[in-house]
Amino acid sequence: MGAVIKKPDEVAGKAWPAIAIGLFVAFGGVLFGYDTGTISGILTMPYWQRLFSTGYINSKGEPDVSPDQSSAIVSILSAGTFFGALASPLFADTIGRRLGLIASCMVFNLGVILQTVATAIPIFLAGRFFAGFGVGLISAMIPLYQSETAPKWIRGAIVGAYQWAITIGLLLAAIVNNSTKDRNDSGSYRIPIAVQFAWAIILIVGMSLLPDTPRFLIKKGKDEKAAKALGRLRRLPADDPAILAELSEIRANHVFELSLGKSSYLDCFRGGMLKRQLTGMGLQALQQLTGINFIFYYGTQYFKNSGIENPFTIQIITSVINVVSTLPGLYAVDRFGRRKPLLIGAIGMCIGQFVVAVLGTTTTGQDEFGNTIVYNQAAQKASIAFVSLFIFFFASTWGPLCWVVTGEIFPLKTRAKSLSLTTASNWLLNFIIAFVTPYLVDFGPKYANLQSKVFFIWFAACFICIGFVYFLVYETKGLSLEEVDDLYNECSSARKSVHWVPTNSTTRRTMVNDLDEKSSGQPGHFEDAKAIDASSA
């Protein structure tokens, strides 16, 4: 890991402040992961099942929520996150990335309060929706904040740390669920839910002390604040030549984009932006279709139904693998780039899902009541091993890299809107999978009863991932966000992007100076950029 955090000699200033800030902001992923992971265990807690049951009796003759209700409870969070992600530009582009994250945590806390006090499904559903809305806002704004503050040479690892925080949240949820599952009171589910207040408060306090991103401040015409913020991130004086040069590049890119007119959601799909937008949305959608959240949403129930004696223990083990396996991905993203790890990861996930599907289909059956019959215990253990293999490949590649790629391929003009759409794609597929899974795998006349055959669906999606990366994902390792913009404008093929070298780093700066000289007869300065910005607002 030392090779990753060694700052290039030619880079001015210190790297640790921006790295520390980026890693702290990634902590918001704990909210995402914990909220996602905790529901899997809560759904199997006997006290919760009895309290929230409306009369449904499961295959073991015990009170429980019905598969329809389970589907709604799990998926309503994703519905909230979908709308939260779409609403994120309203926060990010108005009050800023920093204050937007603080406001998002407030919305999240409202959802946690409703879930904690709930004793029936309607209030619990409302809490899940508002918590999801807050998570959706956070999940779009954190990669935005990170990508706009991180040094380009380590941007991939910093943005990828967001996914690592998600895996830590999933692990914490599994541990807390395991600690409270046997309680015969409301603490069995209220404690895991209420713990989420701590994660939100930590993020709120931290964000209140951090600066907003220099790119947002430039966009709002606050150039002096932008210089101070960038100087704070690089530990250099605001008037240092390196700070002025970086700000000049950001400002030039922003003013050039403003000269093309205002941005709207339609601009995200016009001209050359169409390829980028579909790449980002496709990556996030496919990330969900790999089947990872089937394991963390319904894993405890699935392992229990498959004859595993202690499904909570298995859930903790898979969560630990998820956390540990993300670390190699944080190293690889800035060492080997984006394309190669994504390709290798897709191939590895294909193998894992296919073997799990075959083993589960050929070595288990069902009795007339839908209870699983295990014909081969060794095959079940092997199945768990290949689930773990799938998690390793996902966590080290597609988990962090999807957030990295989508956080850096969009121009400043549409970045907040484009990221909201890509994140919404992730949550839309998350919602669909969470909603339809009980109908796909459960036993009964209204259900498909696929059981382990559902892994064939995840295998097919992983196979599509291979071609998607090969043909559509550009290599952006080591490029500034402005150079990534030039890459897409100059390179027509993702396969050729590996060999692209930036040559036009000063083009836009020159164009802005030309615009300034024509309008004022003087060389371009911060004040000229403000005037152009104001006239375009």
Side-chain angles (χ1 to χ4, degrees):
M1 199 72 178
V4 174
I5 61 174
K6 186 179 186 302
K7 180 173 70 71
D9 295 334
E10 69 275 10
V11 176
K14 296 185 181 298
W16 69 263
I19 295 173
I21 289 172
L23 292 178
F24 172 78
V25 174
F27 181 82
V30 172
L31 277 70
F32 177 172
Y34 188 94
D35 204 37
T36 298
T38 193
I39 195 63
S40 176
I42 288 174
L43 287 174
T44 63
M45 292 179 179
Y47 182 87
W48 185 90
Q49 290 175 338
R50 293 193 302 271
L51 179 64
F52 284 81
S53 176
T54 56
Y56 176 80
I57 303 298
N58 62 25
S59 61
K60 296 183 178 179
E62 300 168 347
D64 200 350
V65 295
S66 69
D68 292 359
Q69 292 168 331
S70 173
S71 171
I73 290 168
V74 174
S75 62
I76 194 69
L77 177 90
S78 301
T81 54
F82 172 76
F83 291 108
L86 288 179
S88 62
L90 299 176
F91 291 77
D93 283 340
T94 52
I95 63 175
R97 284 51 161 152
R98 182 179 72 91
L99 291 178
L101 281 168
I102 293 174
S104 302
C105 290
M106 301 295 189
V107 176
F108 175 80
N109 281 341
L110 172 62
V112 174
I113 291 171
L114 292 174
Q115 290 180 81
T116 303
V117 302
T119 55
I121 290 177
I123 299 298
F124 198 79
L125 285 173
R128 293 276 294 167
F129 178 83
F130 281 107
F133 194 87
V135 169
L137 291 168
I138 291 167
S139 64
M141 281 189 273
I142 284 179
L144 179 63
Y145 186 98
Q146 290 175 309
S147 64
E148 290 189 347
T149 56
K152 65 181 181 181
W153 57 274
I154 198 172
R155 186 178 63 241
I158 289 177
V159 179
Y162 174 57
Q163 176 65 25
W164 188 43
I166 293 174
T167 67
I168 292 173
L170 288 164
L171 174 60
L172 291 172
I175 293 172
V176 176
N177 280 343
N178 190 56
S179 301
T180 66
K181 70 180 190 298
D182 295 324
R183 290 177 65 110
N184 195 30
D185 57 28
S186 63
S188 61
Y189 72 93
R190 281 178 169 157
I191 292 174
I193 292 171
V195 163
Q196 295 174 99
F197 283 120
W199 318 141
I201 291 170
I202 290 171
L203 191 59
I204 289 171
V205 172
M207 291 308 301
S208 67
L209 302 175
L210 297 181
D212 217 321
T213 74
R215 285 174 172 85
F216 170 76
L217 295 170
I218 286 287
K219 186 173 183 178
K220 289 298 182 181
K222 300 177 181 179
D223 299 301
E224 292 182 4
K225 289 186 177 180
K228 290 180 181 178
L230 188 59
R232 185 177 172 186
L233 290 169
R234 305 290 186 262
R235 279 298 185 269
L236 291 170
D239 58 354
D240 187 272
I243 296 296
L244 296 178
E246 187 170 348
L247 282 176
S248 180
E249 185 70 22
I250 296 169
R251 188 179 68 258
N253 188 66
H254 173 54
V255 175
F256 173 74
E257 290 171 354
L258 285 177
S259 70
L260 302 178
K262 293 182 178 180
S263 67
S264 67
Y265 272 104
L266 287 177
D267 290 323
C268 299
F269 299 94
R270 286 175 174 155
M273 280 299 301
L274 179 63
K275 179 190 288 187
R276 303 194 213 187
Q277 195 63 57
L278 293 181
T279 298
M281 294 172 69
L283 269 177
Q284 292 285 15
L286 285 170
Q287 187 198 57
Q288 291 300 308
L289 286 170
T290 60
I292 186 66
N293 276 332
F294 170 79
I295 294 171
F296 290 110
Y297 275 147
Y298 295 103
T300 306
Q301 282 182 311
Y302 175 78
F303 293 135
K304 185 177 181 180
N305 294 339
S306 297
I308 303 298
E309 291 184 4
N310 194 334
F312 278 93
T313 301
I314 298 298
Q315 193 75 352
I316 291 176
I317 292 172
T318 55
S319 296
V320 169
I321 293 170
N322 198 22
V323 172
V324 175
S325 300
T326 304
L327 294 174
L330 301 185
Y331 172 82
V333 63
D334 287 311
R335 178 69 175 84
F336 303 109
R338 283 56 164 159
R339 279 175 59 85
K340 187 180 293 184
L342 283 171
L343 280 170
I344 294 172
I347 294 170
M349 290 189 299
C350 267
I351 295 171
Q353 296 287 38
F354 182 75
V355 174
V356 172
V358 171
L359 288 175
T361 302
T362 58
T363 63
T364 61
Q366 289 177 303
D367 62 22
E368 59 180 319
F369 302 106
N371 296 309
T372 301
I373 302 171
V374 179
Y375 301 123
N376 189 323
Q377 287 290 344
Q380 284 299 95
K381 293 178 181 178
S383 178
I384 297 299
F386 277 95
V387 166
S388 301
L389 179 70
F390 160 77
I391 292 173
F392 167 77
F393 278 108
F394 175 88
S396 60
T397 58
W398 277 75
L401 265 66
C402 285
W403 298 104
V404 172
V405 172
T406 56
E408 63 190 11
I409 64 175
F410 301 115
L412 181 60
K413 179 179 178 181
T414 65
R415 187 170 298 142
K417 292 182 177 67
S418 293
L419 270 173
S420 75
L421 289 171
T422 61
T423 308
S425 300
N426 181 295
W427 288 115
L428 177 62
L429 267 296
N430 190 304
F431 167 76
I432 292 172
I433 291 169
F435 185 79
V436 304
T437 292
Y439 297 98
L440 290 175
V441 301
D442 283 0
F443 176 84
K446 298 191 301 182
Y447 309 110
N449 195 28
L450 292 179
Q451 299 298 319
S452 295
K453 297 183 184 71
V454 74
F455 284 92
F456 284 116
I457 296 176
W458 315 140
F459 159 73
C462 292
F463 189 79
I464 294 172
C465 289
I466 299 173
F468 186 90
V469 173
Y470 184 77
F471 290 108
L472 289 174
V473 176
Y474 279 61
E475 183 53 70
T476 52
K477 170 194 167 188
L479 301 178
S480 70
L481 297 182
E482 289 68 38
E483 287 168 343
V484 171
D485 201 27
D486 289 332
L487 165 66
Y488 272 91
N489 290 330
E490 297 176 11
C491 186
S492 60
S493 170
R495 288 166 290 171
K496 297 177 182 178
S497 64
V498 179
H499 307 293
W500 183 83
V501 177
T503 56
N504 294 331
S505 60
T506 61
T507 299
R508 291 178 182 173
R509 192 180 308 144
T510 302
M511 292 181 69
V512 171
N513 286 334
D514 289 343
L515 286 170
D516 292 339
E517 290 171 7
K518 288 178 183 179
S519 62
S520 64
Q522 299 294 328
H525 295 289
F526 279 2
E527 289 75 13
D528 302 313
K530 288 179 182 178
I532 295 174
D533 199 348
S535 67
S536 301

